[in-house]
Amino acid sequence: MSNVQVLPLVESGASDGVAPCCPPLTERPFTAGEAEVAARMFKALGDPVRLRLFSAVASHEGGEACVCDISDVGVSQPTVSHHLKKLKDAGLLTSERRGTWVYYRVEPSVFAAMGRLLAPR
């Protein structure tokens, strides 16, 4: 059993339904917890294969992509699965199994949280 704790990029409970994990970078220095969550997101996106997969899901027609449609990124299928898991663990993707295939989606709240995090003053 793994002792990895998944920290979400967004938290529910805000008036608009989604609150970013962290304040904008220009607002104030991060707390240790906020820095950990943001670093997990940036680390997940810091790998070229994961960035390509994230982009493939985000830009896919209908806002979701079957793993069968996005796995041509130059690595083996088990490696694709590993990278998709890392993106899910970072809170950047959600998934749903439909029959034998898994469909991935970037929730709009993730884009909103990323936008707020990187927003200038």
Side-chain angles (χ1 to χ4, degrees):
M1 179 151 260
S2 174
N3 63 356
V4 174
Q5 179 185 9
V6 176
L7 300 174
L9 179 60
V10 293
E11 300 169 354
S12 60
S15 60
D16 65 354
V18 174
C21 70
C22 315
L25 289 169
T26 57
E27 184 177 297
R28 62 169 171 75
F30 280 176
T31 65
E34 292 166 344
E36 186 176 327
V37 173
R40 183 172 285 119
M41 175 196 66
F42 287 120
K43 183 175 181 181
L45 292 175
D47 181 280
V49 172
R50 286 196 284 267
L51 189 55
R52 287 183 67 198
L53 288 168
F54 184 77
S55 173
V57 172
S59 65
H60 203 269
E61 185 178 333
E64 69 178 8
C66 174
V67 69
C68 60
D69 294 329
I70 59 169
S71 53
D72 185 23
V73 291
V75 296
S76 68
Q77 192 283 323
T79 304
V80 168
S81 294
H82 165 77
H83 286 300
L84 288 168
K85 181 180 182 330
K86 292 290 188 180
L87 290 167
K88 278 185 61 177
D89 289 348
L92 298 171
L93 294 180
T94 59
S95 66
E96 177 184 352
R97 180 171 291 282
R98 297 182 197 153
T100 59
W101 296 110
V102 177
Y103 287 78
Y104 291 88
R105 169 181 299 278
V106 180
E107 295 296 331
S109 59
V110 170
F111 288 125
M114 290 171 74
R116 279 182 242 154
L117 176 68
L118 298 173
R121 284 186 184 195

